[in-house]
Amino acid sequence: MNRADRIIAAVKLQIGNCNKPFTSEEAYEIVMSLQQPAVFWSMASDWPALQWTVENLSWILDEKPIRFRLGSKKTETAFPLFENHCSFLEASMMQFLAWSQGLSDAVLGPFSSYPYSEFWAYADYKYIAMLFEDKKEHFKDVVWSDFGFPGRDGKDSTLWIGTEGANTPCHLDCYGCNLVLQVQGRKRWHLFPPEDTSFLYPTRIPYEESSIFSKVNIANPDFKMFPEFIKARPHLVTLHPGQVLFIPRHWWHY
């Protein structure tokens, strides 16, 4: 058992000793009835997944290749940076960590071609079932049963890891709602209600079956090109480690 596995095993012993604000039945009723986003505090404070920092994941996943999406920090256009305008590379979590810490090119692998000062990187939408296919014991580190979903754990979840500035263009998901656990760092969310859809200039290009994108660059909106966007009503929230964000069905998020 390596260092990261020992840390997570120690945290698992604490499960059940933490007072939560809601029972699993109460949390489920809240999630099923809410029509607006909400942040849950202290519902996941004892989850072993909170030990999934980049440092620990670099030990757990070792040299496993992971696909990263990269975008320029200097790109300021009226349109979002969609995937077809990004660069992609495969690297280990250790190489990603070394790159984000500014270490020498000798240990960066494919990241050495992308100066950290000029690019952000994002390992987005990584299925935990595939990422941990040879370490299935970590599926239990994610405890969605606390929200009234018995039997749901890491194997039913995705992992997102990015540097400052990393993002997915504003979109809505066609199916179901989202529960998002923040593990490390902070993430600033821009959320828009379904009623704002026409103000966000929806598009199916690029096509993705489960998502509809906005043509607006939320971080740098061009009101001359998209004048109706000024009518949109963003709900802003900064998510911190241990907090869980609930995004209702058909809410736009960035």
Side-chain angles (χ1 to χ4, degrees), residues 192-236:
F192 301 87
E195 296 78 21
D196 284 1
T197 293
S198 63
F199 308 144
L200 290 161
Y201 298 83
T203 178
R204 294 309 297 255
I205 301 174
Y207 178 76
E208 185 176 313
E209 181 184 0
S210 62
S211 301
I212 299 174
F213 288 95
S214 168
K215 294 180 183 178
V216 182
N217 182 349
I218 303 300
N220 184 40
D222 185 330
F223 292 106
K224 290 184 179 179
M225 185 172 291
F226 305 110
E228 293 293 296
F229 180 64
I230 200 168
K231 299 178 183 178
R233 299 160 294 168
H235 296 231
L236 304 179

Side-chain angles (χ1 to χ4, degrees), residues 138-157:
H138 289 295
F139 292 167
K140 300 301 181 185
D141 294 355
V142 180
V143 194
W144 292 123
S145 58
D146 282 349
F147 285 85
F149 298 97
R152 304 292 292 272
D153 55 23
K155 69 178 179 296
D156 306 295
S157 308

Side-chain angles (χ1 to χ4, degrees), residues 54-154:
V54 174
E55 293 79 7
N56 283 341
L57 286 176
S58 68
W59 283 89
I60 296 170
L61 299 175
D62 196 25
E63 295 298 321
K64 189 180 186 72
I66 298 169
R67 191 171 189 245
F68 289 87
R69 177 166 60 92
L70 293 95
S72 172
K73 293 180 179 179
K74 299 178 181 178
T75 301
E76 293 186 1
T77 67
F79 297 99
L81 190 63
F82 291 114
E83 286 191 6
N84 54 336
H85 293 127
C86 292
S87 300
F88 292 86
L89 59 79
E90 282 199 354
S92 69
M93 195 62 68
M94 285 185 177
Q95 290 169 328
F96 170 73
L97 179 61
W99 179 69
S100 66
Q101 292 177 336
L103 301 185
S104 74
D105 288 354
V107 294
L108 302 185
F111 277 111
S112 61
S113 301
Y114 299 89
Y116 182 73
S117 60
E118 299 178 20
F119 290 89
W120 51 257
Y122 208 8
D124 52 358
Y125 220 95
K126 304 306 176 192
Y127 284 96
I128 292 175
M130 298 177 64
L131 205 59
F132 291 87
E133 58 186 343
D134 55 347
K135 297 180 181 292
K136 294 182 172 135
E137 66 273 15
H138 289 295
F139 292 167
K140 300 301 181 185
D141 294 355
V142 180
V143 194
W144 292 123
S145 58
D146 282 349
F147 285 85
F149 298 97
R152 304 292 292 272
D153 55 23

Side-chain angles (χ1 to χ4, degrees), residues 6-7 9 12 25 38 40 50 89 98-99 118 143 149 161 166-167 181 191 193 200 203 212 220 223 245 252:
R6 289 196 297 272
I7 292 173
K12 287 179 178 178
E25 293 81 8
F40 288 88
L50 287 179
L89 59 79
W99 179 69
E118 299 178 20
V143 194
F149 298 97
I161 302 171
N167 67 86
L181 168 68
L191 307 162
L200 290 161
T203 178
I212 299 174
N220 184 40
F223 292 106
L245 173 65
W252 295 82

